[in-house]
């Protein structure tokens, strides 16, 4: 299982801040696609991604027990 942490509007859209998803052997990009289809989450193309507390790109492969954080861009002033 992959642990997914959601922040800001993603957390608000889904109404949860954590999920467990069967995702062993998929890439971050594949996980984003699965989340878009399964949960109708929008804006995953623009999020920063961290895997196990280290920034990661869409090609990063995921393993059982990984924690993936999706961090949307923040604006403010």
């Amino acid at each position: 299982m992959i642990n997914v942490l959601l922040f800001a509007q993603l957390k608000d859209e889904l109404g949860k801040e954590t999920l467990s998803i069967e995702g062993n052997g998929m890439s971050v990009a594949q996980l984003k696609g699965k989340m878009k289809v399964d949960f109708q989450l929008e804006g995953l193309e623009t999020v920063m991604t961290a895997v196990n507390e280290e920034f990661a790109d869409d090609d990063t492969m995921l393993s059982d027990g990984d924690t993936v954080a999706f961090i949307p861009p923040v604006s403010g002033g």
Side-chain angles (χ1 to χ4, degrees):
M1 295 298 277
I2 304 297
N3 301 305
V4 179
L5 306 177
L6 302 169
F7 295 92
Q9 77 264 19
L10 295 175
K11 179 178 85 171
D12 294 341
E13 264 186 68
L14 193 59
K16 296 180 182 183
E17 60 185 49
T18 62
L19 295 169
S20 292
I21 296 178
E22 186 63 46
N24 187 33
M26 68 172 52
S27 68
V28 168
Q30 290 170 317
L31 177 61
K32 286 179 180 179
K34 178 174 178 54
M35 294 197 55
K36 187 171 185 172
V37 169
D38 291 355
F39 302 104
Q40 291 78 46
L41 287 176
E42 298 297 325
L44 289 171
E45 309 82 30
T46 61
V47 299
M48 291 181 57
T49 305
V51 176
N52 299 326
E53 299 183 7
E54 292 191 20
F55 290 113
D57 60 25
D58 282 350
D59 296 328
T60 300
M61 296 304 293
L62 302 172
S63 299
D64 192 40
D66 282 348
T67 298
V68 178
F70 291 126
I71 308 160
V74 179
S75 64

